[in-house]
């Protein structure tokens, strides 16, 4: 449960399924602890795929785009739906964005959705300036391992191809514009301090969706990669409660 494997995983359990999605430049290592603990506590079937272009090299990553990442997640959603009668899609960072996206576009297969520091296109002025400044070369520095607890580290790329940064921008911005179409029960977990995704995104999601059932929880003791940080057990508990909530 505590290993650092970057491989995708499937934990067989009940007919309640959880699709757990990692973030941009990352791997299932970032959600492995939460996935295993959630499986142990709730008994749910938990699936964590590896998104296209991740877990190999930045050069491989550069050959992919948002359509590829969405397809990886959507294929996993269809496979999990074939095993389970109810499905919750949950994700960290870009995985949270994709969870929101799938809950809107593939609502026929999604019963609940949870986002952990998901991005919806709200960037700080400094981030947007860096977006344009970084367009002069092929790569820019990585953004991973924003973790408050010094004992944990995220396995992710140390360089980001500029081409995929633009793809990410399209995906998160478009998903943010689709939020009024989201009507599923929703859990929003948002770090109060986040150096990658503005915490304003959490409240933007809460205010924009059409969901009648929304649970919002601030994570007070974690940075962006909260699933590997001090609030990881709180995340497990909130997800477990969410799966059984009316």
């Amino acid at each position: 449960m505590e290993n650092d494997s970057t491989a995708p995983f499937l934990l067989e359990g009940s007919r309640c399924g959880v699709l757990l999605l990692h973030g941009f430049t990352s791997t299932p290592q970032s959600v492995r602890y939460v996935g295993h603990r959630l499986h142990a506590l709730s008994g749910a079937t938990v699936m964590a795929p590896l998104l296209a272009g991740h877990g190999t090299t930045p050069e491989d990553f550069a050959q992919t785009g948002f359509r590829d990442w969405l397809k990886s997640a959507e294929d996993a959603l269809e496979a999990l739906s074939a095993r389970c009668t109810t499905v919750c899609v949950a994700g960290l960072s870009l995985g949270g964005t994709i969870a929101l996206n799938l809950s809107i576009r593939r609502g026929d297969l999604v019963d609940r959705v949870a986002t952990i520091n998901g991005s919806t296109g709200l960037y700080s002025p400094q981030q947007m300036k860096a977006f344009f400044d970084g367009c002069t070369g092929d790569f820019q520095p990585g953004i991973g391992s924003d973790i408050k607890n010094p004992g944990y580290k995220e396995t992710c790329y140390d360089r980001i191809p500029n081409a995929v940064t633009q793809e990410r921008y399209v995906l998160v911005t478009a998903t943010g514009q689709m939020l009024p179409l989201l009507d599923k029960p929703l859990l929003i977990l948002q770090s109060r301090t986040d150096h990658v995704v503005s915490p304003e995104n959490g409240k933007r999601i809460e205010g924009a969706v059409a969901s009648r059932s929304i649970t919002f929880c601030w994570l007070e003791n974690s940075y962006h990669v909260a699933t590997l940080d001090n609030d990881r057990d709180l995340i497990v508990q909130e997800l477990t409660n969410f799966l059984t909530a009316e």
Side-chain angles (χ1 to χ4, degrees), residues 3 22-23 29 32 60 79 81 89 91 100-101 144 154 184 207 219:
N3 68 59
H22 66 78
Q29 177 262 351
R32 186 171 296 275
D60 286 344
S81 295
V89 183
L100 295 168
N101 189 290
E154 180 186 21
K184 306 293 182 180
L219 304 176

Side-chain angles (χ1 to χ4, degrees), residues 92-190:
L92 168 69
S93 189
L94 187 70
T97 304
I98 293 175
L100 295 168
N101 189 290
L102 290 181
S103 72
I104 295 166
R105 294 177 41 255
R106 293 305 311 268
D108 56 314
L109 300 181
V110 178
D111 298 281
R112 297 174 181 270
V113 58
T115 175
I116 308 160
N117 294 331
S119 177
T120 63
L122 295 183
Y123 292 98
S124 71
Q126 292 79 11
Q127 286 175 314
M128 290 316 303
K129 181 177 181 298
F131 174 81
F132 286 102
D133 290 345
C135 290
T136 56
D138 293 332
F139 294 90
Q140 57 185 265
I143 56 172
S145 225
D146 182 36
I147 300 173
K148 185 175 184 179
N149 189 322
Y152 296 100
K153 183 175 176 60
E154 180 186 21
T155 302
C156 54
Y157 292 142
D158 60 358
R159 293 176 298 137
I160 305 173
N162 280 318
V164 299
T165 301
Q166 296 167 34
E167 293 283 322
R168 178 188 62 176
Y169 180 78
V170 171
L171 177 56
V172 300
T173 304
T175 299
Q177 292 301 312
M178 293 194 300
L179 287 175
L181 302 177
L182 197 161
D183 59 3
K184 306 293 182 180
L186 172 64
L187 171 63
I188 304 167
L189 298 162
Q190 182 67 59

Side-chain angles (χ1 to χ4, degrees), residues 5-26:
S5 173
T6 61
F9 60 89
L10 171 63
L11 307 174
E12 296 277 10
S14 70
R15 299 282 283 172
C16 173
V18 179
L19 181 63
L20 193 54
L21 303 170
H22 66 78
F24 185 68
T25 80
S26 190

